[in-house]
Amino acid sequence: MRKDAVAGGTNTADVEEAVFAMPAGMAIRYDRPAAALADFITGYHVYRSSAAPGGEGQVDWFLPATANVRIAIDAGPIAVSIGRRTYDPLPAASLFGPTSQALKATTHGGVMIGFGISALGWARLMRRPAGDFRNRIVPLEDVLGRGFTNRLVAALQAATDDAAVAPILDALLLERLGPPHADAPAIRGLMEVLATDGPADMASAAARLDMPSHALRRLSIRHFGFPPKMLLMRARFLRSLLRLMAAGDAADYSMIDDSYFDASHFLRDSGTFLGMTPRRFMALTKPFLEASLRARNAVLGSPTQALHDIATAPAKTDSMGAVRATTSSRAISTGDAAGISC
C-alpha cells in the first residue's frame, strides 16, 4: 500500500468526517474489528505522514497502553523510546508490549498500521506471559511466528487503500485466534474493573472479583502484563489526565479522580506514567495523539486503549446482522473526548 492510498476515515458510517481532520501531509484512520473479534482486538488504526523537510524526523508522543501490533509500510526509519529504552531502528513488524510509560516516536514519513490487543485477546493469540513484554518492543515474528508475520505484512503491503486494512486483519486474526482460555471469565472481570471508576488498590479489586490477592496478581501479570495495582493506578491516572486535557486552559486539579489524596499524589503518578508533569506533556506537539484520542473515541467508544471497555465498545455488524449493544456507562464520555485538544 502506497502512502498516497491512505485517505483516513473509518468503516463506521455514523462518524463525522471532521473527526479525522489532520494537518497537511498526515492522515488517520480508525476501524472497528469484526464482531467476532471485538472482545480480543481493541481496534485497528492507520497513520500516514510525509517526511519532514530537511530530513528532520517528526516527533509524536503516545500514552501508556495495552499490547499492540504495528507494521510500517513504505516508511522511513523509525525510533521509539519507552522510558529510558530506545528501539532504533524499529522492526518493520513489531509487537509493542503493554506499557506503563509514555512512548516517544520519531518518524520520517510513511504508513503505520496497527491493532490493539486486549487481555482476552492476549490469552487467545499469545503463548508467553504478557509480563515478559511489558515496556518492551520485539519483532512480531518472535511471538506470532515468521510464517504468520510474513503473510500479514504481505497482505497489508498489497492492500489497495486504507479501507482494505480492516477486512485483511479480520480474516487473518480470526484464522489465528486460539481456543477460549480457562482464565477468560476472570480476565473479563478484571477488564471491567479497570474500565470503571473505583479504588486503585489491589484488595478492593480482589474483593470485587472474589479472588485471592495472589491469584489476581498471577492472572494480571500473565494476561495484562502488570500487577493489578499498577493497572489500577494507570487507569486512574489516565482518566484524570484526559479530563485535564479536555478542559485545556480551564483545567485544574479538582478534575482528578477522587481517590487521589491531593494534587501532589497525582503529580507523582504523572512522573511514573509520563516522566514529566501533566502540564509539560499537554504542551508537547503531538498531532497523532490528539487526533487518535478524538477519532478512537468516536469509532471505538473510548479515547485510549488502556481504558477500552469491551462491555460498551461498539462492534461491527457480523454476518448474522447482530451488533453488540452499547450503553452510556463509559468513564470518559463522548463529550469529554470531543473537547480534547492537548
Side-chain angles (χ1 to χ4, degrees):
M1 181 168 55
R2 294 165 53 96
K3 288 193 291 287
D4 56 12
V6 178
T10 184
N11 60 12
T12 308
D14 56 350
V15 179
E16 295 182 5
E17 186 176 340
V19 166
F20 305 96
M22 292 290 291
M26 302 181 192
I28 189 170
R29 182 181 188 91
Y30 269 84
D31 287 327
R32 298 175 184 174
L37 288 168
D39 284 354
F40 315 117
I41 302 300
T42 62
Y44 303 138
H45 55 273
V46 183
Y47 298 160
R48 185 259 292 169
S49 66
S50 301
E56 293 187 9
Q58 175 182 320
V59 175
D60 280 279
W61 289 83
F62 298 93
L63 295 171
T66 61
N68 279 266
V69 166
R70 292 194 170 104
I71 297 96
I73 295 177
D74 193 19
I78 301 171
V80 174
S81 297
I82 304 173
R84 296 181 179 180
R85 181 178 292 174
T86 297
Y87 298 86
D88 184 11
L90 187 75
S94 309
L95 172 75
F96 287 56
T99 51
S100 62
Q101 298 170 305
L103 183 152
K104 177 184 178 182
T106 303
T107 59
H108 294 82
V111 177
M112 180 68 81
I113 298 172
F115 56 89
I117 304 172
S118 74
L120 281 171
W122 188 279
R124 298 284 294 268
L125 289 168
M126 308 295 184
R127 294 180 180 178
R128 290 177 58 183
D132 290 354
F133 301 96
R134 61 188 178 201
N135 292 322
R136 292 180 57 207
I137 300 173
V138 298
L140 185 60
E141 65 181 44
D142 288 359
V143 287
L144 290 182
R146 183 172 298 176
F148 179 83
T149 299
N150 288 344
R151 289 174 55 210
L152 176 64
V153 172
L156 293 172
Q157 287 175 333
T160 54
D161 56 30
D162 54 335
V165 168
I168 289 170
L169 293 176
D170 281 345
L172 287 169
L173 290 170
L174 282 167
E175 176 188 319
R176 175 76 186 191
L177 208 61
H181 198 283
D183 290 336
I187 295 170
R188 185 181 297 275
L190 182 53
M191 290 176 68
E192 291 173 356
V193 168
L194 295 171
T196 57
D197 289 320
D201 65 278
M202 183 171 172
S204 297
R208 288 179 61 180
L209 296 172
D210 193 23
M211 289 181 68
S213 294
H214 66 87
L216 176 58
R217 178 181 173 84
R218 184 168 58 248
L219 173 108
S220 181
I221 294 173
R222 174 67 180 82
H223 302 293
F224 293 78
F226 295 98
K229 182 173 178 60
M230 175 61 76
L231 297 174
L232 291 161
M233 289 171 58
R234 183 182 70 179
R236 177 181 64 180
F237 173 76
L238 290 174
R239 281 193 289 269
S240 299
L241 177 68
L242 289 173
R243 294 184 188 117
L244 296 179
M245 293 173 73
D249 292 340
D252 64 66
Y253 291 133
S254 67
M255 299 176 178
I256 65 177
D257 193 276
D258 290 341
S259 64
Y260 278 113
F261 299 123
D262 52 27
S264 63
H265 185 192
F266 172 66
L267 290 173
R268 285 197 297 273
D269 273 5
S270 184
T272 297
F273 296 112
L274 300 181
M276 64 188 81
T277 66
R279 294 288 184 186
R280 181 182 172 195
F281 185 80
M282 291 162 63
L284 293 170
T285 301
K286 44 194 181 305
F288 277 115
L289 175 60
E290 295 173 10
S292 66
L293 291 173
R294 190 174 61 238
R296 192 186 193 286
N297 192 76
V299 174
L300 296 161
S302 58
T304 68
Q305 291 174 335
L307 299 178
H308 187 81
D309 186 350
I310 61 171
T312 63
K316 277 178 56 178
T317 303
D318 64 20
S319 59
M320 300 300 293
V323 177
R324 180 188 304 274
T326 60
T327 72
S328 58
S329 62
R330 293 195 302 270
I332 303 294
S333 71
T334 303
D336 289 333
I340 290 171
S341 61
C342 299

